[in-house]
Amino acid sequence: LPFPTMPSEPNKVVGMTLTPNNELINDAIVEIQAQDGRVVRAVKTNALGQFFITTPLDNGTYTVAVERDGHQFIPQQLVING
C-alpha cells in the first residue's frame, strides 16, 4: 500500500485509513483531539486514504478519531514527544 512519506519535522502526523481487509478509505474525516476533547487538527483523507498534518503538534497525548459513512473506527491514542 502507498503509505505516506515520513515527515521530516518532529510532531507532524501522517497516516492512512483502511478497512479490515486493507482497502483504502478516501474522504474520511480525521480529527486529532487534545486530552480535554478539543479538536486541535482536522483533515480529510485523499483518494489513497492518506492524511497529513502539516502543522506540528505540541508534545502530549492525543486521540485520533476517524469518521466515514458506512465505516466504524476505534479511536486511537497518540503520544507525541518530539
Side-chain angles (χ1 to χ4, degrees):
L1 294 172
F3 195 79
T5 304
M6 294 263 308
S8 58
E9 295 179 51
N11 295 12
K12 288 188 174 182
V13 179
V14 301
M16 292 182 73
T17 54
L18 304 169
T19 68
N21 296 326
N22 289 328
E23 297 166 339
L24 303 171
I25 301 175
N26 65 325
D27 294 328
I29 302 297
V30 178
E31 292 182 346
I32 298 183
Q33 303 167 353
Q35 286 186 304
D36 63 5
R38 223 174 5 98
V39 175
V40 294
R41 303 285 188 281
V43 295
K44 186 182 266 191
T45 61
N46 65 18
L48 298 175
Q50 302 168 335
F51 64 91
F52 308 84
I53 306 299
T54 58
T55 305
L57 295 166
D58 292 332
N59 289 341
T61 302
Y62 298 89
T63 299
V64 179
V66 180
E67 296 178 16
R68 176 71 158 94
D69 288 343
H71 298 279
Q72 292 185 342
F73 299 90
I74 298 170
Q76 301 293 307
Q77 186 178 51
L78 174 66
V79 177
I80 300 286
N81 190 19

